[in-house]
Amino acid sequence: RPLRPGEAGASSARKELGNVAAGTDIKLFNGWTFDDVEVPDISLVDYIAVKQKYAIYLPHTAGRYSAKRFRKAQCAIVERMVNSMMMHGRNNGKKLMAVRILKHTFEIIHLLTDQNPIQIMVDAIINSGPREDSTRIGTAGVVRRQAVDVSPLRRVNQAIYLLTTGAREAACWSTMTIAECLADELINA
């Protein structure tokens, strides 16, 4: 129930709300700030949402990011990683489990590197996204491969997919937890 004026703790709750309204920085999982996170690749700045505008406390916004084309670029990159963890039938829809896995992953990354885990994740996404791909060009039954550049949004999408798939496969039939495997993937990328 909400605290009434005059009750013990009411003034501290009011001060806390005042600090949030005053514009203190929003920290992911109450631990990591989005302020010092940079996207060094200029082509991906618009597609990796880590600016203060996209800062969140928990990567569980229930936003409608697939309602319109390209709107998923406005989804916080941490939440996109959580959504990608919810794959393979038995994990579908278990977003709270995916949030918990990412929280443990960030704690492991912070213990191993003493850096902001959000920055480590952004660097991993930039490093693991492909810059060039091949497509099939064919006429009259003759098919050959043609090299093409990859769009920035596809680079981010594929990087998130490859990181989470690698962590999932590394954790399968292993003594390591999926959080430890995801931390290894992000640090080593």
Side-chain angles (χ1 to χ4, degrees):
R1 72 174 176 82
L3 295 173
R4 294 191 183 103
E7 278 187 11
S11 61
S12 64
R14 196 175 308 111
K15 285 179 192 173
E16 206 171 297
L17 288 174
N19 289 344
V20 171
T24 58
D25 55 330
I26 296 173
K27 293 185 176 181
L28 180 69
F29 299 122
N30 281 334
W32 298 288
T33 180
F34 287 86
D35 290 340
D36 55 346
V37 178
E38 297 176 349
V39 181
D41 191 339
I42 195 167
S43 65
L44 299 180
V45 169
D46 294 334
Y47 298 97
I48 297 180
V50 291
K51 296 178 193 164
Q52 194 60 34
K53 174 182 174 185
Y54 304 110
I56 50 177
Y57 291 107
L58 270 178
H60 194 314
T61 61
R64 296 173 56 232
Y65 295 109
S66 63
K68 204 171 188 183
R69 191 177 182 200
F70 299 121
R71 190 178 290 168
K72 66 179 169 183
Q74 272 78 48
C75 182
I77 197 71
V78 183
E79 185 170 4
R80 292 198 59 198
M81 183 70 80
V82 166
N83 292 342
S84 185
M85 291 299 296
M86 295 190 299
M87 284 189 188
H88 284 287
R90 62 183 183 177
N91 298 323
N92 285 354
K94 297 182 182 176
K95 193 163 188 176
L96 294 178
M97 183 179 73
V99 168
R100 180 184 50 79
I101 289 169
L102 199 71
K103 182 178 181 180
H104 291 317
T105 299
F106 279 7
E107 290 170 0
I108 293 168
I109 290 172
H110 183 68
L111 288 173
L112 293 177
T113 63
D114 284 332
Q115 295 179 11
N116 189 345
I118 303 172
Q119 183 66 55
I120 299 287
M121 188 181 79
V122 167
D123 293 341
I125 288 172
I126 290 170
N127 292 338
S128 59
R131 295 193 176 133
E132 193 173 85
D133 201 358
S134 62
T135 187
R136 295 168 49 126
I137 304 290
T139 54
V142 180
V143 175
R144 66 184 181 94
R145 308 292 281 178
Q146 176 69 41
V148 292
D149 293 333
V150 177
S151 73
L153 184 61
R154 179 160 171 79
R155 272 184 71 189
V156 172
N157 294 346
Q158 207 161 8
I160 292 172
Y161 171 77
L162 292 172
L163 288 168
T164 55
T165 303
R168 192 178 301 114
E169 289 177 2
C172 188
W173 302 107
S174 171
T175 57
M176 293 175 65
T177 65
I178 191 161
E180 293 169 350
C181 294
L182 185 59
D184 285 347
E185 290 283 334
L186 293 177
I187 291 170
N188 296 329

